[in-house]
Amino acid sequence: MLEVNYIRENKEQVIHGLKKRNFTAGDLAIIDDILRLDDNRKSIQTELDALLAERNALSKEIGQLMQSGKKDEAESIRQKVAGLRDEAAVMESRMSENREQLQTLLYKVPNIPNESVPAGSSETDNEVYKAWEKDLPELSGEALPHWDLAKKYNIFDLDLGVKITGSGFPVYRGKGARFQRALIAFFLDRATAAGYEEIIPPLMVNEDTARGTGQLPDKEGQMYYVEKDDLYLIPTAEVPVTNIYRDVILNESDFPIKLTGYTPCFRREAGSYGAHVRGLNRVHQFDKIEIVQIQHPDRSYDTLQEMLAHVGSLLDSLELPYRILRLCGGDLGFTSALTFDFEVYSAAQKRWLEVSSVSNFETYQSNRLKLRYRDGKGTRLAHTLNGSALALARIVAALLENNQTPEGIVIPKVLQPYTGFELLN
RNA sequence: GGAGAGAUGGCCGAGUGGUCGAAGGCGCACGCCUGGAAAGUGUGUAUACUCCAAAAGGGUAUCGAGGGUUCGAAUCCCUCUCUCUCCGCCA
């Protein structure tokens, strides 16, 4: 979330940013509400602190009087302090009420979009940041979508997943399973080669962790929740991996922190059906390799570019045609300041599939995480960034479709050492 | 799951109602000492909020978390979480 002081000092900028997220004049009233509550909080605190200071001083006096045997004097002060206590109790409850209200409002304010974020209300307004310059692959009339290819070559089975679990839980088999494992290993190797530390995190997280990266309270319905133990299944490795640095104070020399993690990802994605979401296009469980960086605020946008280049190089290696979009204000995630989406072209479906999302959260997550660094004068919030590198299910879909031949599916060269076969048939 | 013990600063560890944001040690930083180092020695070394135009300097809170008793809580009481030991179960 945003810091109140930031909102106070950059009010015009904040309002400008929220407008880009299509806040109406009515919605924007929240900003003044926040500032008013914060003013209120300050004045209550000043009053309360003074009261407590007096109480502490008098209490100390009582102690001294008691020790020197002046019981009567102590008794009279004691009565005075008892009154102070009641006053303080009232003020404390006003204080906590006020703090709760303020917190609730702050949770409702999304991150301020970066200057470069285009205006717009939906995904159709996203800007093509880097187009695909070469020709798009064309397949013959017999080309099959990946769900048909999966049946033909026994790569994955969604019906079997329904039997075992429910819809949207694919079962990968044989060479399909091996292909999956090859992609994971390839992506992890490339990430570690690029200097990211490999992490295997827990797949379930507690409430504090889910709150730290912003899944709570905004996206509660997206996560599977294990009620008995009060745990959430992770929707992305971003959640447990970034939270490694929750409540941490770094030194400037620690930057950049680069982490990567492979995990299955669980998403409820309630209420989406149709041709659009067939096959692997949208499932409840999929594998993803995530890259996370924690960086000095002055360098986070360079880091974002570095991460874009990393994801791009993976797609280049896999010989997949892709384009990069800069998300508009209306499509930008709640916690993000700037997000680039990578889309891969699926020749059989004749559409672009989102395979990666790379974002700079600036201080929005770190404020919740209390992730700071020392800069000589005091502590400041660090910047957090993350990106998929890459999400498997849709990459698999695109590779199956684009690389299909009458003999089988051609495995990209870079993956062959991992699969042990050149043709998936 | 059952029984017991415990949770104090970056780390170890003292502290059972007032003089405790907290002894002592380690670590770290800076200085002295030294040809240089080690040893020795001196000083400093949490976070958040807040007051002040700012600096300096005040104030408040924080001893796992939350609540309570009290004029006053690291210390007493309650609830929760976590850790350790033993037993049970188990990949």
Side-chain angles (χ1 to χ4, degrees):
Chain A
M1 63 195 165
L2 298 176
E3 293 174 284
V4 180
N5 282 341
Y6 178 86
I7 296 176
R8 188 181 296 282
E9 282 157 28
N10 304 279
K11 190 174 163 189
E12 289 314 308
Q13 202 183 324
V14 167
I15 286 173
H16 174 74
L18 291 178
K19 279 183 182 162
K20 223 187 247 182
R21 285 191 184 263
N22 307 306
F23 268 52
T24 65
D27 297 335
L28 287 169
I30 195 171
I31 295 305
D32 284 324
D33 290 345
I34 285 172
L35 294 178
R36 209 188 52 242
L37 276 170
D38 190 51
D39 286 341
N40 202 239
R41 188 200 104 249
K42 280 189 192 179
S43 70
I44 296 174
Q45 172 147 16
T46 305
E47 246 181 287
L48 177 61
D49 282 357
L51 207 61
L52 292 176
E54 193 184 348
R55 185 201 67 182
N56 288 345
L58 289 174
S59 291
K60 205 169 270 185
E61 222 175 290
I62 291 172
Q64 280 159 2
L65 289 171
M66 294 294 269
Q67 263 170 1
S68 53
K70 298 175 183 166
K71 282 207 164 175
D72 295 344
E73 279 181 59
E75 187 56 38
S76 77
I77 299 178
R78 178 181 298 183
Q79 275 163 19
K80 191 172 165 193
V81 181
L84 287 182
R85 184 184 52 170
D86 296 341
E87 239 180 287
V90 171
M91 222 173 275
E92 259 162 18
S93 78
R94 268 171 61 201
M95 182 84 173
S96 67
E97 194 184 322
N98 184 294
R99 189 178 311 131
E100 233 166 82
Q101 286 172 359
L102 183 59
Q103 191 71 266
T104 306
L105 290 191
L106 283 172
Y107 275 137
K108 288 183 182 165
V109 180
N111 203 350
I112 301 309
N114 179 270
E115 212 28 62
S116 68
V117 168
S121 56
S122 75
E123 55 187 287
T124 52
D125 299 316
N126 292 338
E127 166 200 317
V128 177
Y129 175 73
K130 189 179 171 207
W132 180 248
E133 304 288 347
K134 295 173 228 167
D135 294 335
L136 290 173
E138 297 243 5
L139 298 174
S140 72
E142 283 106 76
L144 297 171
H146 68 272
W147 49 88
D148 289 334
L149 291 166
K151 285 214 170 90
K152 186 172 172 186
Y153 298 118
N154 201 21
I155 295 166
F156 65 86
D157 190 334
L158 278 163
D159 295 332
L160 193 51
V162 169
K163 175 183 171 182
I164 299 169
T165 306
S167 72
F169 290 89
V171 178
Y172 296 89
R173 309 194 70 153
K175 281 187 170 176
R178 177 67 183 256
F179 183 46
Q180 196 74 8
R181 184 153 58 89
L183 282 163
I184 293 165
F186 170 66
F187 291 145
L188 281 175
D189 283 354
R190 289 287 291 264
T192 48
Y196 293 87
E197 179 193 358
E198 184 174 342
I199 305 288
I200 299 181
L203 304 184
M204 290 192 189
V205 296
N206 59 30
E207 192 181 323
D208 284 346
T209 295
R211 201 175 289 280
T213 31
Q215 276 66 34
L216 290 179
D218 321 314
K219 295 178 196 154
E220 186 145 24
Q222 281 260 28
M223 285 187 291
Y224 288 95
Y225 175 55
V226 181
E227 193 167 10
K228 191 157 186 173
D229 296 290
D230 201 16
L231 294 173
Y232 296 86
L233 267 72
I234 58 168
T236 158
E238 163 197 344
V239 179
V241 170
T242 312
N243 270 277
I244 292 174
Y245 286 91
R246 173 155 51 85
D247 287 320
V248 168
I249 301 176
L250 299 163
N251 294 313
E252 282 190 82
S253 57
D254 295 329
F255 293 127
I257 287 169
K258 303 173 77 171
L259 306 168
T260 185
Y262 149 68
T263 67
C265 301
F266 303 95
R267 298 194 184 175
R268 295 185 63 228
E269 311 277 17
S272 35
Y273 294 95
H276 231 69
V277 298
R278 282 194 74 178
L280 296 179
N281 288 348
R282 183 175 287 185
V283 284
H284 291 309
Q285 180 183 328
F286 61 95
D287 293 304
K288 181 159 64 64
I289 287 76
E290 186 80 358
I291 51 176
V292 170
Q293 290 213 39
I294 297 165
Q295 182 57 288
H296 190 285
D298 293 348
R299 293 189 289 277
S300 68
Y301 280 94
D302 292 337
T303 295
L304 186 64
Q305 286 300 323
E306 176 201 316
M307 291 168 80
L308 285 185
H310 178 76
V311 175
S313 80
L314 297 176
L315 294 170
D316 286 335
S317 301
L318 295 174
E319 299 166 62
L320 284 168
Y322 68 92
R323 63 180 188 183
I324 306 177
L325 301 180
R326 190 191 332 238
L327 296 196
C328 73
D331 205 24
L332 191 64
F334 194 83
T335 54
S336 175
L338 178 60
T339 296
F340 292 99
D341 272 6
F342 282 74
E343 293 188 330
V344 158
Y345 189 72
S346 160
Q349 296 182 63
K350 293 193 168 54
R351 50 184 282 246
W352 295 91
L353 298 176
E354 183 194 329
V355 294
S356 175
S357 199
V358 184
S359 305
N360 188 350
F361 302 92
E362 297 191 358
T363 60
Y364 197 88
Q365 286 185 328
S366 56
N367 190 30
R368 287 202 192 174
L369 293 162
K370 298 207 197 77
L371 164 50
R372 292 155 290 169
Y373 68 96
R374 281 180 238 277
D375 75 342
K377 280 186 187 165
T379 64
R380 290 180 63 197
L381 295 173
H383 280 194
T384 62
L385 305 97
N386 68 49
S388 358
L390 285 156
L392 282 226
R394 291 183 191 151
I395 286 285
V396 169
L399 283 172
L400 295 180
E401 290 169 0
N402 293 7
N403 293 7
Q404 60 186 297
T405 68
E407 291 74 39
I409 288 145
V410 177
I411 303 295
K413 277 239 156 39
V414 290
L415 287 180
Q416 288 175 11
Y418 293 94
T419 55
F421 50 82
E422 297 171 19
L423 211 57
L424 204 169
N425 52 16

